Amino acid sequence: MENSRPAPATLPDPPPLKLGVLRTLARLAIIALLAIGLHFVFVWAENWIMSNEYGWAMPGLLLAVLVIYAVLIAIPFVPGVEIGLSVLAAGGPGIAPLVWVATASGLSLAFFVGCTVPIAWLRRVLTDLHMIRAAYNVARFEAMPQEGRVAFIHALLPRKYCGWIIKYRYVNLAVLINIPGNSVIGGGGGIAFLSGLSGTFRAPLAILTIAIASAPVPLAIWLFGLKLPWA
C-alpha cells in the first residue's frame, strides 16, 4: 500500500547519549512523582473512610477514592490490579460494580490519552536513546494512513511466530490487562496507553475489550459475595 505521506528520509541527529538518557529519566520521574502523589492521596482517603463510623456509605468520599483510583490506574507502570483488589477488600462486595466502572474508566482514559499523544513523541524518546533504527520505523509508521498501520506492524513481525499478535490484538489486549504482575510491562494503564498510541485499535472495540477484560473479578465478588483472603 502506497503511503499518502512519505516518511522522512533522514532523522534529526540524536543528542549526546548522556543528554538523551537524562531527558528520558526526567520524563519517567514526572510520571513516577504523579503516581506516588496520587497513591498517597488514595491511601489517605481510603484510611479516612475506613476510620469513620459511616465507612463506605459516605458517597462523596467514596466517589473521590474511586476517581483517584481511576486516574491512578491510568498511569503506566502502576500496579492497578493490586490497588483495585485493595479497594475491593476494604469496601466489600457492595462496591464491586463501582470498582469495575472505575477500572474500565481509568484504562479507557489511558487509551484515549494514547490516541491523542503524537507518535513523534515516541520517536523523540527513541532518538534520545540512540535507538535510530526503531526511531526510523516509528517515523515510517507515523507517516502512514490509519488503515496501513496494522499491515505495517504485521510485516515487521515474524509471521510464523508473532503474526497472531496483530491478528488477535483485541484478545491479546484483554489477556495482558489481566496478567498478574503486568506492572512490569507497563501495567494496565501502560498497556492501554500504548494500544491507543499505536493507532491500530478502533476505539469502540478497544473500550468494549477493556470493559469486558476488567469485569470478571469485580462482578464475581459482587454476584457471588466472594471475599478476598486478606479482607
Side-chain angles (χ1 to χ4, degrees), residues 65-133:
V65 167
L66 291 173
V67 169
I68 295 171
Y69 163 66
V71 175
L72 194 59
I73 199 175
I75 299 174
F77 295 101
V78 169
V81 173
E82 291 80 356
I83 296 174
L85 291 177
S86 72
V87 177
L88 287 170
I95 68 160
L98 298 178
V99 172
W100 174 32
V101 171
T103 302
S105 299
L107 296 179
S108 298
L109 172 64
F111 176 83
F112 281 117
V113 170
C115 290
T116 59
V117 170
I119 298 179
W121 172 83
L122 177 59
R123 174 165 49 82
R124 287 194 296 269
V125 172
L126 294 172
T127 303
D128 282 348
L129 295 176
H130 286 229
M131 301 173 68
I132 304 303
R133 183 174 179 181

Side-chain angles (χ1 to χ4, degrees), residues 167-189:
K167 184 176 181 180
Y168 302 107
R169 58 191 178 279
Y170 292 97
V171 176
N172 292 325
L173 173 60
V175 171
L176 288 175
I177 287 174
N178 282 291
I179 289 179
N182 64 8
S183 56
V184 176
I185 57 173

Side-chain angles (χ1 to χ4, degrees), residues 10-30:
T10 59
L11 293 172
D13 291 334
L17 183 59
K18 183 176 180 180
L19 176 61
V21 171
L22 288 176
R23 286 180 182 174
T24 303
L25 290 176
R27 296 180 182 113
L28 294 175
I30 292 173

